[in-house]
Amino acid sequence: FCSVTRDQYIKNQRHRECLALDRVAVTRIKCDLAHVDMYAALPFLVSSAGSLSKSDHSENDAAQKQKRKTMVVAKHLCGAGTDLALKSLRDLASAGAIDGCVMATCCHGLCSWKEYVGRDHLRSLFCGKVGGLSSFGENDFNMLRRWTSASVLDGDAKQPNRQKSADLKNGNDPSDGNEEHNNDSVEITGRGPTIFEVAEELGLKCGGRGIGRACQRLIDHGRCHYMEKQLFKRHNQKEFKVTLSHYVDASVTPQNALIAASRIK
């Protein structure tokens, strides 16, 4: 079991208990995911993914390695963290060292155009027959991610919580791990139309929250496209199935999207 965390310690006692795996060897990498070379950090995965020679391993060792499955799991990986995680898997996926990947996304307002893996897909979507735009770039993406905040606003709330957004931008979580990541997007300078104003102007029954959730799924759909067409295609695209689903009802948490990739037997 390998855990990659940026914090120097685990704040939540519940998380400490979950990681107390007595029967599992635990390796913890305390570093920003953007700076972790997973291929170098987990060399045993690469070696186990390759062919096994009888001269180097016993038959029992070979059987054990053939049974070993490698899964990548992330729950509520905030904003650009999901994109950084996907990028970190490129070399491992190319080596055929990954059997499955499950990521629960959240905090779409904290995504960044620089790190986002689905840029090409959104460009083709919005600039093609569906969108009909002449271009799609960082400013458009910033509006898209800003509008995702409406999915976690209650009732008639029109403006996100600026103080909470500022805390998150500075790396401070005011909930200290006791709440779900129902944060709003980081404030973007300038005054544009709010998602509620757009929904009202267009007469959309889904309202601002509905559009916010649609924006979230657009961002996640671009990630799925990256996984399907690039990340796992290097090894053998036909061996993997990539899906986007909701793992719980939105009443439990509005951040309920799950991206999954599994090897097809």
Side-chain angles (χ1 to χ4, degrees), residues 1-260:
F1 180 85
C2 178
S3 172
V4 180
T5 56
R6 185 172 57 182
D7 293 336
Q8 294 301 311
Y9 62 96
I10 301 175
K11 300 178 182 179
N12 195 308
Q13 179 62 35
R14 181 177 55 187
H15 293 169
R16 291 194 186 96
E17 295 173 355
C18 290
L19 290 177
L21 306 175
D22 297 335
R23 299 183 181 181
V24 178
V26 178
T27 299
R28 187 180 179 201
I29 302 175
K30 292 187 288 186
C31 181
D32 192 310
L33 190 56
H35 308 303
V36 178
D37 183 346
M38 298 300 292
Y39 190 89
L42 305 173
F44 62 90
L45 292 183
V46 180
S47 62
S48 65
S51 59
L52 297 172
S53 171
K54 290 185 178 180
S55 61
D56 296 333
H57 306 283
S58 67
E59 293 183 0
N60 183 57
D61 290 338
Q64 289 297 321
K65 287 194 173 184
Q66 288 176 353
K67 292 180 180 180
R68 177 183 294 166
K69 300 296 182 182
T70 303
M71 296 292 298
V72 179
V73 180
K75 180 180 183 295
H76 286 193
L77 193 55
C78 292
T82 297
D83 303 295
L84 293 173
L86 291 174
K87 289 180 179 180
S88 73
L89 301 178
R90 286 178 295 193
D91 291 337
L92 290 178
S94 180
I98 298 176
D99 297 288
C101 177
V102 179
M103 294 186 179
T105 63
C106 81
C107 306
H108 295 74
L110 299 178
C111 293
S112 73
W113 180 248
K114 178 182 178 180
E115 301 296 349
Y116 181 56
V117 297
R119 289 182 293 182
D120 291 339
H121 180 63
L122 289 189
R123 284 196 188 104
S124 64
L125 179 65
F126 284 103
C127 299
K129 294 181 179 179
V130 177
L133 300 179
S134 59
S135 65
F136 184 89
E138 183 173 3
N139 291 336
D140 305 292
F141 182 77
N142 283 340
M143 182 64 72
L144 188 70
R145 70 182 181 90
R146 177 185 181 184
W147 282 0
T148 64
S149 64
S151 66
V152 298
L153 295 179
D154 295 325
D156 297 327
K158 303 291 184 179
Q159 297 295 331
N161 186 321
R162 302 304 186 191
Q163 181 59 48
K164 187 175 182 181
S165 297
D167 288 337
L168 287 164
K169 186 176 182 179
N170 295 326
N172 302 317
D173 186 354
S175 66
D176 198 26
N178 294 323
E179 298 178 0
E180 294 291 357
H181 297 188
N182 292 344
N183 63 285
D184 309 310
S185 65
V186 174
E187 182 177 4
I188 301 173
T189 58
R191 174 65 168 87
T194 69
I195 196 169
F196 296 97
E197 292 169 344
V198 171
E200 184 176 353
E201 180 69 22
L202 297 178
L204 300 178
K205 294 182 179 180
C206 65
R209 295 193 70 174
I211 299 180
R213 288 182 63 79
C215 291
Q216 286 180 328
R217 299 295 76 79
L218 276 171
I219 292 175
D220 288 337
H221 192 269
R223 290 162 167 165
C224 289
H225 186 271
Y226 169 81
M227 294 169 70
E228 186 178 55
K229 301 300 183 181
Q230 296 186 50
L231 184 60
F232 293 114
K233 184 177 181 179
R234 296 183 180 186
H235 179 53
N236 189 336
Q237 179 185 356
K238 294 182 179 179
E239 289 187 2
F240 281 85
K241 179 181 180 181
V242 180
T243 60
L244 174 61
S245 60
H246 295 130
Y247 62 94
V248 293
D249 189 80
S251 61
V252 178
T253 171
Q255 308 281 13
N256 61 346
L258 187 73
I259 297 175

